[in-house]
Amino acid sequence: MSTPTNSRAAKRKKKRFYLVLTSMTILALAVGLVLTALQDNISLFLDPTELKERQIAEGQRIRLGGLVAEESFKKDDDGLTYHFDITDGAETVSVVYKGSLPDLFREGQGVVVEGQVGGPGIFHASEVLAKHDENYMPKEVVDSLKKRGVFRHAEEEESI
């Protein structure tokens, strides 16, 4: 026969178990909702070679980084639409951007653009980030360019 104290202890353990279970369920739901809400704001970082290898779906938001290809910069007659290519030395992606470019934007310099993949080889940028001095370039861009043997640090260029 069970005593009343054993019965009370079992009831307390059962209540505690359900409280923990309910708390964990609520926490899992909250995390799920946050991740779902942030999904549109999460953007991958890729270089042109990775973009072509992964075959990202049209309309997906990503960050694309590399060097602005030499002699690729063109400005439309409206004065606000720009066309340029981003390269990592192996592949090149054409970028279309409408807005004002950073003052330090120029051909041969590191750049990161954020936007959506358009048709094959086309990227529609909504934001352009250019490096702000001779020694800064986003780590992901540097790593990608080094991996492809294209990156040369500003100090290395001065000694050549």
Side-chain angles (χ1 to χ4, degrees), residues 3-160:
T3 62
T5 55
N6 287 343
S7 171
R8 285 186 201 144
K11 284 182 181 180
R12 274 187 271 149
K13 283 183 181 180
K14 196 173 186 179
K15 281 184 180 181
R16 196 174 313 138
F17 172 75
Y18 285 126
L19 179 65
V20 169
L21 184 64
T22 303
S23 299
M24 295 299 275
T25 303
I26 290 171
L27 180 64
L29 284 171
V31 167
L33 289 172
V34 168
L35 290 177
T36 302
L38 291 177
Q39 188 171 4
D40 291 337
N41 295 330
I42 296 173
S43 55
L44 301 171
F45 176 86
L46 302 172
D47 61 38
T49 299
E50 292 171 331
L51 178 65
K52 290 194 178 184
E53 287 173 354
R54 291 191 187 185
Q55 299 176 354
I56 304 293
E58 283 187 38
Q60 184 172 347
R61 289 193 64 78
I62 64 166
R63 286 189 177 139
L64 178 67
L67 299 174
V68 178
E70 296 291 337
E71 300 179 15
S72 69
F73 181 77
K74 293 173 186 66
K75 185 176 181 181
D76 282 356
D77 292 335
D78 67 4
L80 287 175
T81 305
Y82 302 95
H83 302 266
F84 55 93
D85 295 339
I86 293 181
T87 184
D88 61 5
E91 294 287 345
T92 301
V93 174
S94 296
V95 176
V96 178
Y97 174 67
K98 188 167 188 166
S100 58
L101 291 170
D103 292 338
L104 296 174
F105 178 89
R106 60 185 170 272
E107 293 177 343
Q109 295 294 321
V111 68
V112 174
V113 293
E114 187 170 341
Q116 296 180 336
V117 177
I122 303 288
F123 187 82
H124 298 283
S126 58
E127 186 174 4
V128 175
L129 307 168
K131 68 183 208 170
H132 64 275
D133 67 21
E134 294 80 26
N135 297 317
Y136 173 77
M137 191 179 300
K139 181 183 180 330
E140 295 92 346
V141 174
V142 172
D143 292 344
S144 173
L145 294 174
K146 281 182 178 178
K147 185 169 71 175
R148 307 215 189 302
V150 177
F151 178 76
R152 288 190 351 198
H153 195 273
E155 293 167 1
E156 294 171 10
E157 291 177 3
E158 291 172 5
S159 63
I160 295 178

